[in-house]
Amino acid sequence: MEGNPITHLAGIDYAIMAVYFAAVLGVGFALKRVMRTSTDFFLAGKTLPAWVTGLAFISANLGAQEVIGMGASGAKYGIATSHFYWIGAIPAMLFVGIFMMPFYYGSRARSVPEYLKLRFDEKTRTLNAASFAVMTIFSSGISMYAMGKLFNLLLGWSFNTSVLASAAIVLAYVTLGGLTSAIYNEVLQFFLIVFGFAPLVGLGLNSVGGWAGLTAKLNAAAVTNGLPEGSYTHAWRGMTHASTNPIGVEWFGLVMGLGFVLSFGYWCTDFLVVQRAMAADSMTAARRTPLIAAFPKMVFPFLVILPGMIALALTVGHGAGGMIPAKLAANGAPLVDAAGRTVLDFDLATPMMLVKLFPAGMLGLGLTALLASFMSGMAGNVTAFNTVWTYDIYQSHIKPGATDQHYLWMGRVATVGGILLSIAAAYVAGSFNNIMDLLQLVFAFVNAPLFATFFLGMFWKRSTGHGAFLGLLSGTIGAAVHHGLTLPIGATPGVKGGYFGLVHTYPSELAQTFWTAIVAWTTCFVVTIIVSLVTQPRPDAELTGLVYSLTEKPKDRDLPWIKRPTSLALIVIVLIVGLNLIFR
């Protein structure tokens, strides 16, 4: 799979990449000597300060799908993509920090599935562990596939070499240093993203005439695409109806589907991010972790979404010479839609900005930041996989009662297995032509009902293990039924839905995904309540520390007000409301 490269790197660009590779491997070797127990390996010994776990909390989510995908969404939907941050992340991050971390950290659970076992029963834990393990391998494989394809296109690197080399580096530093190594490299990646993409935004805005020039060009693009002026530069304009905004969903579907179900389902229950907070050195630090992460998360739209918007502005009116190239058909010809317009390959928006605007040296820094995001996505998923596999599957069902050293060894073996399965998933991903959309749909199937289970489990002591298990199953089935009876406009029955028949058509794939998540959450919520009411609940004594009403509330009065989780949350709320008003 060799390609004709779009650009070539200078010696200084390769030197920057080499320094990055040396740094991540150096961290792994330096930490190997302190990996003495399974807790050291899987939970970083619970010794890390809040600012480190906070940056890792946000960086674990800064993988390939975020950096490339949000840039692509910025080019496709404009500033409305910020809803994935300001509505679809921040409120949930505040909720997990204030309300949910006391259960995770205080219960001494080593993973999210293990909390489910403590609160409900073994079968609920196993169902979640199995589905989560599959998701992490799939997500890691997509990161590998996307990186191999991208560097093949940009630099002409062999797809196979890119995938195998990155897998080997991730394998080395995770096997050596465990979660601690992954977290410190995620902190490094955070600063690489900031310093690699901030100049890109500056150069991009300069090339389009500043914000005023960007607005004028995007207004023209909106009118061309049949939308009102301002649709690409105002986050809330046109949200009263699905046909008057670029996302294609009305405000209720956005707020309920993205802002509540999908967002809370991911940030509150996905062990990939929760694991970072659980590595903190105290309960207060664990609660502050997602709150600290919320501050940079608020401004990340300007680093990852704005380049996509600028790329669209530099494409409008430029024909074949625009920044974003056309998506190509199997015969190599540019694709066109039903209206005769060229279909743009939005996934290349941010990469093309890098290679066309950055000079030597800066290009190396930008591509290294991109490479770091891919590798961080792999490492985050692999560290979550090896923990869930070892604690929730291997120790529980295959070899209980073994020594701690045996589980430490199994963690390293699971890391190797996770990497090999991820490589296989990377090649499987090549057989799908809409793998990113499919992954978002997987979250609607898995995370949406899971959040209903957690919500009831933490705040309704009457919920039972039978109710949780059947609710999870019913929620996933409900998502499949809804998806199988609906389609986005222009799609044919198949992987995008409609495989059971066609009852309703949505104006966009995102609208269909948001409503699939709503159906999954609601189904799980209702079934869990009904089954719980006809089955025997556990006595209160067994639920102490696992249910909100039976758990002692954390007291932060001895801390300076600026370090109290509630104070940080209030500051974030004020800032996020301000951002929504500015870009309304």
Side-chain angles (χ1 to χ4, degrees):
M1 296 176 69
E2 302 294 341
N4 296 316
I6 292 174
T7 188
H8 294 277
L9 298 184
I12 188 171
D13 298 318
Y14 281 111
I16 292 171
M17 286 189 176
V19 169
Y20 167 71
F21 287 138
V24 298
L25 290 173
V27 168
F29 279 104
L31 292 171
K32 182 179 185 297
R33 60 185 177 82
V34 298
M35 294 296 112
R36 299 188 181 94
T37 68
S38 63
T39 302
D40 294 332
F41 188 80
F42 294 118
L43 293 174
K46 292 196 171 187
T47 58
L48 301 180
W51 74 269
V52 171
T53 55
L55 293 183
F57 190 91
I58 184 176
S59 294
N61 183 245
L62 271 177
Q65 294 113 19
E66 173 102 1
V67 176
I68 299 298
M70 288 304 172
S73 295
K76 189 174 183 180
Y77 306 121
I79 197 65
T81 308
S82 64
H83 290 309
F84 283 89
Y85 293 80
W86 300 340
I87 297 296
I90 301 298
M93 293 168 73
L94 301 184
F95 186 83
V96 72
I98 297 296
F99 293 105
M100 297 188 75
M101 280 315 302
F103 300 109
Y104 287 140
Y105 199 90
S107 68
R108 297 181 297 280
R110 298 167 298 182
S111 67
V112 168
E114 188 167 49
Y115 171 81
L116 287 176
K117 184 211 171 178
L118 295 172
R119 172 59 185 90
F120 293 116
D121 53 27
E122 185 63 51
K123 65 179 181 296
T124 307
R125 188 255 285 266
T126 302
L127 176 62
N128 176 232
S131 62
F132 179 76
V134 172
M135 271 206 320
T136 55
I137 293 300
F138 190 55
S139 184
S140 178
I142 290 173
S143 290
M144 288 186 180
Y145 171 75
M147 187 197 70
K149 290 291 289 184
L150 186 62
F151 280 83
N152 174 253
L153 173 68
L154 297 182
L155 305 175
W157 291 1
S158 162
F159 175 85
N160 296 331
T161 301
S162 298
V163 167
L164 295 176
S166 62
I169 293 171
V170 170
L171 174 64
Y173 74 74
V174 173
T175 303
L176 291 168
L179 178 64
T180 310
S181 181
I183 284 177
Y184 278 118
N185 280 310
E186 283 161 0
V187 173
L188 172 63
Q189 174 222 353
F190 172 85
F191 290 107
L192 272 174
I193 293 288
V194 172
F195 291 117
F197 281 75
L200 182 66
V201 173
L203 290 172
L205 283 174
N206 183 64
S207 65
V208 295
W211 182 259
L214 177 65
T215 300
K217 288 181 171 60
L218 291 181
N219 283 344
V223 173
T224 300
N225 291 330
L227 295 167
E229 279 196 0
S231 295
Y232 288 121
T233 52
H234 292 269
W236 288 99
R237 184 165 296 184
M239 282 294 171
T240 54
H241 196 277
S243 63
T244 55
N245 66 80
I247 293 184
V249 63
E250 76 295 337
W251 71 268
F252 180 81
L254 176 80
V255 173
M256 184 66 180
L258 174 64
F260 180 64
V261 178
L262 282 174
S263 171
F264 280 68
Y266 176 77
W267 292 101
C268 298
T269 69
D270 195 310
F271 184 55
L272 171 63
V273 289
V274 172
Q275 185 182 29
R276 273 72 193 149
M278 291 172 71
D281 58 11
S282 68
M283 169 72 81
T284 301
R287 295 179 70 209
R288 288 208 307 262
T289 290
L291 305 176
I292 291 171
F295 285 95
K297 189 71 174 178
M298 279 189 289
V299 299
F300 257 84
F302 304 109
L303 285 179
V304 297
I305 294 173
L306 204 48
M309 296 170 61
I310 296 169
L312 177 63
L314 292 173
T315 303
V316 176
H318 289 77
M323 181 67 69
I324 307 174
K327 190 179 283 285
L328 302 179
N331 61 4
L335 284 174
V336 294
D337 61 18
R341 295 173 297 198
T342 300
V343 178
L344 299 177
D345 193 344
F346 293 115
D347 286 338
L348 294 179
T350 298
M352 294 304 294
M353 288 278 289
L354 286 171
V355 301
K356 289 193 175 183
L357 296 184
F358 270 0
M362 287 183 69
L363 178 59
L365 180 62
L367 289 177
T368 301
L370 206 57
L371 187 64
S373 74
F374 287 118
M375 292 178 57
S376 175
M378 293 181 234
N381 280 288
V382 168
T383 53
F385 170 82
N386 64 26
T387 305
V388 168
W389 163 263
T390 303
Y391 283 151
D392 297 299
I393 298 175
Y394 183 79
Q395 184 180 31
S396 297
H397 300 288
I398 299 175
K399 192 162 185 175
T403 64
D404 184 75
Q405 287 300 305
H406 178 81
Y407 294 129
L408 174 60
W409 169 83
M410 174 47 62
R412 291 196 162 107
V413 171
T415 302
V416 176
I419 290 286
L420 292 175
L421 289 171
S422 297
I423 293 172
Y427 286 93
V428 171
S431 64
F432 293 91
N433 61 3
N434 61 339
I435 193 67
M436 296 302 176
D437 293 331
L438 187 63
L439 185 64
Q440 291 300 315
L441 194 62
V442 169
F443 290 149
F445 272 66
V446 177
N447 286 351
L450 181 61
F451 175 61
T453 302
F454 269 87
F455 189 82
L456 288 170
M458 289 183 169
F459 297 102
W460 188 44
K461 66 179 183 179
R462 183 68 178 76
S463 57
T464 67
H466 295 308
F469 180 77
L470 292 174
L472 272 178
L473 279 180
S474 300
T476 303
I477 293 170
V481 171
H482 175 269
H483 188 250
L485 293 173
T486 61
L487 270 177
I489 285 178
T492 56
V495 72
K496 294 186 178 182
Y499 35 84
F500 294 145
L502 186 58
V503 173
H504 182 69
T505 300
Y506 285 99
S508 69
E509 290 176 28
L510 277 180
Q512 182 196 33
T513 297
F514 292 166
W515 279 100
T516 298
I518 291 171
V519 169
W521 185 89
T522 305
T523 303
C524 179
F525 192 80
V526 171
V527 170
T528 301
I529 290 175
I530 292 173
V531 175
S532 294
L533 289 174
V534 298
T535 52
Q536 184 68 34
R538 295 171 63 186
D540 287 1
E542 295 181 8
L543 299 177
T544 302
L546 300 172
V547 178
Y548 188 77
S549 61
L550 301 174
T551 300
E552 184 180 356
K553 309 304 180 288
K555 296 179 176 60
D556 305 312
R557 287 191 294 270
D558 295 336
L559 293 173
W561 74 270
I562 193 63
K563 291 187 177 181
R564 296 174 189 172
T566 50
S567 300
L568 292 175
L570 287 173
I571 295 171
V572 172
I573 290 171
V574 170
L575 293 174
I576 207 66
V577 169
L579 284 170
N580 275 284
L581 289 174
I582 291 170
F583 291 96
R584 67 184 186 279

